[in-house]
Amino acid sequence: MDPYKFRPSSSFDTTYTTTNAGGPVWNDDQALTVGARGPILLEDYHLIEKIAHFARERIPERVVHARGASAKGFFECTHDVTHLTCADFLRAPGVQTPIILRFSTVIHERGSPETIRDPRGFAVKFYTREGNWDLLGNNFPVFFIRDGIKFPDVIHAFKPNPKSHIQEYWRVFDFLSHHPESLHTFFFLFDDVGVPSDYRHMEGFGVNTYTFINREGKVHYVKFHWKPTCGVSCLLEEEAIVVGGKNHSHATQDLYDSIASGNYPEWKLYVQVMDPDHEDRFDFDPLDDTKTWPEDLLPLQPVGRLVLNRNIDNFFAENEQLAFGPGLVVPGIYYSDDKMLQCRVFAYADTQRYRLGPNYLMLPVNAPKCAFHNNQFDGLMNFMQRNEEVDYFPSRHDPLRHAERFPIPSRVVTGKREKTVIPKQNDFKQPGERYRSWAPDRQERFVRRWAESLGHPKVSHELRSIWITYLTQCDVSLGQKVANRLNVKPSM
């Protein structure tokens, strides 16, 4: 056999997906989980390889959320939530915790305009007495996919064409035509909220489902909501053109100028709470990040407020080197089996280790503000002075001990190894309800954006038919309106 015959080249691509070592991949759509709903198994080699490679695709810019702006301030607990969580920074109303918050656009590079139609990141780092908690989210409460193994694919589809470096929505429609769960997020992206007027007038959502644990060990599912006290404001297309034409960094400047003038941005934090024992009462899976929880059944409960009252001192040190990861939690707050969250716990820390090095958590903006001790010595860019002779645990020469035990979810996990979708998908109901809640002029703008995007010459007739069929399943009148503009009939 000629060892050089199949040298790396797309000329020798197989007709099926393989690992980087050439092994066949029989399922590239679902991560390997314990049972249909998870959690994800670390032994899913293809998932780890795929995510790890994806995290290393850009140097040194973030793969996503490259364009961002940060500010500092505090979070104040305003309501007693100790019946839900034993988190120390939520121990009593009036307790304040220093924070840093980074806003961002998701897809485009650092120099891109802030008037682009794109999800916005809303990431908060809490410097608590029990270590740092990173709450990462977006300005939309849902995401395009529900399984982390598809995260590199959805970002690739939204990123510019690798041949021309032009973002083209035919690629997005092509990929997501296989994932109708993406419809709900499209009903935010193509809505007016797809272009916030600035960061101060923007909501934030945790997107994924987390868990609160109280001192007795009782677990609740939670969804996080940030509500701006100055209200939500968006830019329509004509306004975005004018604003972006004057200043492609308008949102960054608005944030900086507002804080400098003493007009401090503020958000209220709310949570929705669900007892895991009641999850079967709903027609959706509460761990599905493409779904929202109905507020009439699971009302918003106030927790605290966040105030940005200080601008960062150095953009590179406190924005570019600022690193978030949902793996950073504190006692009383934990993950759920949400498949996207489970994957993000690994992926975000891994991309930071690649982007900033293995000691990225020693950088001042990322380091905890409380006492800490670990045995992770050396490595690239290690600038921490270490004088210990013992760099292991346990040791009879070092009094280091385990911390006081705190509760984590203790749900029994059973199931066979399998790659499969969750049982409750129900992809069309919530998008349709959202569309019908809008005023007619808002619906009309939404229809126009769909028609313009699907009308791109590179969007095939087949793709237009598929998406019109999806839209019709959300709302018959919506599908018909888009179809009429494109002269296409739904295929259902």
Side-chain angles (χ1 to χ4, degrees):
M1 177 180 177
D2 182 358
Y4 303 105
K5 181 178 180 182
F6 294 105
R7 63 190 181 279
S9 169
S10 58
S11 301
F12 304 111
D13 280 353
T14 65
T15 57
Y16 53 85
T17 304
T18 73
T19 66
N20 287 351
V25 175
W26 69 269
N27 186 330
D28 194 22
D29 288 321
Q30 283 86 39
L32 185 65
T33 57
V34 179
R37 299 180 62 226
I40 286 175
L41 292 172
L42 190 60
E43 71 185 57
D44 190 341
Y45 173 80
H46 177 58
L47 167 67
I48 301 302
E49 178 182 74
K50 185 175 181 179
I51 295 294
H53 187 279
F54 173 70
R56 291 161 174 80
E57 288 182 354
R58 300 290 188 276
I59 301 173
E61 176 176 287
R62 289 171 170 86
V63 180
V64 289
H65 298 277
R67 168 66 132 133
S70 303
K72 295 181 282 190
F74 66 89
F75 174 82
E76 180 182 4
C77 179
T78 58
H79 290 73
D80 184 0
V81 290
T82 54
H83 61 294
L84 295 173
T85 176
C86 59
D88 176 73
F89 77 102
L90 297 175
R91 63 188 179 274
V95 173
Q96 291 190 358
T97 302
I99 63 95
I100 188 168
L101 193 159
R102 186 175 189 268
F103 303 101
S104 55
T105 56
V106 175
I107 296 299
H108 296 275
E109 58 272 7
R110 283 186 296 192
S112 57
E114 292 179 313
T115 50
I116 203 158
R117 185 169 295 276
D118 194 24
R120 266 54 172 184
F122 195 112
V124 186
K125 186 181 293 290
F126 297 75
Y127 300 105
T128 86
R129 301 193 308 182
E130 296 182 308
N132 293 352
W133 176 44
D134 286 0
L135 176 56
L136 289 81
N138 289 334
N139 66 321
F140 304 157
V142 287
F143 195 59
F144 291 98
I145 53 170
R146 58 167 65 100
D147 196 308
I149 200 170
K150 304 308 296 179
F151 185 69
D153 298 294
V154 70
I155 298 301
H156 282 170
F158 271 95
K159 285 282 189 180
N161 186 320
K163 183 175 182 179
S164 65
H165 199 66
I166 299 171
Q167 187 186 33
E168 298 174 320
Y169 260 81
W170 69 264
R171 291 163 33 84
V172 175
F173 292 136
D174 178 32
F175 169 67
L176 290 177
S177 68
H178 300 278
H179 296 277
E181 68 267 27
S182 64
L183 277 162
H184 202 182
T185 308
F186 269 121
F187 278 58
F188 287 86
L189 180 64
F190 282 3
D191 180 26
D192 294 348
V193 297
V195 185
S197 61
D198 53 60
Y199 294 132
R200 291 184 298 122
H201 294 85
M202 189 177 82
E203 290 183 294
F205 300 91
V207 182
N208 295 113
T209 299
Y210 288 80
T211 53
F212 271 169
I213 310 100
N214 65 17
R215 293 202 177 277
E216 290 71 43
K218 174 60 181 175
V219 173
H220 286 92
Y221 291 149
V222 292
K223 288 272 197 182
F224 295 103
H225 299 249
W226 295 105
K227 302 292 185 182
T229 58
C230 59
V232 175
S233 178
C234 309
L235 295 175
L236 300 184
E237 282 78 356
E238 300 78 9
E239 296 169 317
I241 292 173
V242 173
V243 171
K246 293 180 179 178
N247 182 359
H248 81 295
S249 300
H250 81 284
T252 296
Q253 183 165 1
D254 174 83
L255 178 67
Y256 190 92
D257 290 348
S258 296
I259 295 173
S261 67
N263 182 21
Y264 301 142
E266 181 175 336
W267 286 262
K268 303 291 187 184
L269 177 64
Y270 298 86
V271 293
Q272 287 179 285
V273 180
M274 180 189 297
D275 190 325
D277 294 338
H278 300 162
E279 63 180 358
D280 291 335
R281 298 179 180 181
F282 304 93
D283 61 2
F284 60 90
D285 191 322
L287 306 187
D288 180 357
D289 70 346
T290 71
K291 301 294 183 292
T292 55
W293 294 0
E295 294 182 14
D296 57 336
L297 301 178
L298 301 164
L300 298 180
Q301 301 183 33
V303 177
R305 69 186 186 111
L306 183 151
V307 178
L308 297 178
N309 59 5
R310 292 174 57 204
N311 278 311
I312 56 177
D313 300 307
N314 179 279
F315 186 82
F316 182 80
E318 296 180 299
N319 185 77
E320 294 306 291
Q321 290 193 138
L322 179 56
F324 293 92
L328 298 183
V329 293
V330 293
I333 302 175
Y334 204 70
Y335 327 114
S336 73
D337 292 344
D338 178 331
K339 291 187 182 185
M340 273 296 298
L341 177 58
Q342 290 263 317
C343 183
R344 293 176 75 213
V345 167
F346 164 77
Y348 279 66
D350 189 53
T351 193
Q352 305 297 4
R353 284 188 288 266
Y354 168 68
R355 191 174 70 87
L356 297 170
N359 291 297
Y360 74 97
L361 288 175
M362 290 186 183
L363 293 167
V365 72
N366 301 321
K369 307 305 181 190
C370 59
F372 68 99
H373 186 128
N374 62 49
N375 291 312
Q376 297 172 12
F377 278 47
D378 305 330
L380 294 174
M381 302 293 288
N382 188 333
F383 52 85
M384 181 176 179
Q385 181 67 33
R386 307 295 292 258
N387 300 316
E388 301 96 322
E389 293 184 289
V390 174
D391 58 357
Y392 49 83
F393 177 85
S395 166
R396 302 188 190 280
H397 295 275
D398 190 323
L400 191 67
R401 58 178 176 80
H402 285 124
E404 181 181 348
R405 184 172 181 174
F406 54 85
I408 60 173
S410 57
R411 180 179 68 88
V412 176
V413 178
T414 59
K416 62 183 180 180
R417 289 181 174 87
E418 57 184 319
K419 283 176 169 276
T420 186
V421 298
I422 60 174
K424 289 183 183 178
Q425 297 178 53
N426 202 359
D427 296 326
F428 305 105
K429 179 183 177 182
Q430 289 191 1
E433 290 173 342
R434 177 171 172 80
Y435 173 77
R436 288 186 290 275
S437 72
W438 296 335
D441 60 328
R442 189 170 176 178
Q443 292 181 346
E444 174 60 25
R445 290 191 293 271
F446 184 74
V447 169
R448 174 174 51 80
R449 292 173 190 132
W450 269 105
E452 289 176 353
S453 298
L454 289 175
H456 190 282
K458 282 194 174 182
V459 178
S460 67
H461 179 78
E462 178 190 16
L463 281 177
R464 288 174 188 161
S465 297
I466 290 172
W467 282 102
I468 289 172
T469 298
Y470 286 163
L471 294 172
T472 303
Q473 288 178 264
C474 295
D475 183 89
V476 174
S477 66
L478 168 61
Q480 190 62 57
K481 289 176 182 177
V482 176
N484 289 343
R485 296 205 178 198
L486 295 171
N487 195 28
V488 175
K489 292 183 179 180
S491 60
M492 62 181 296

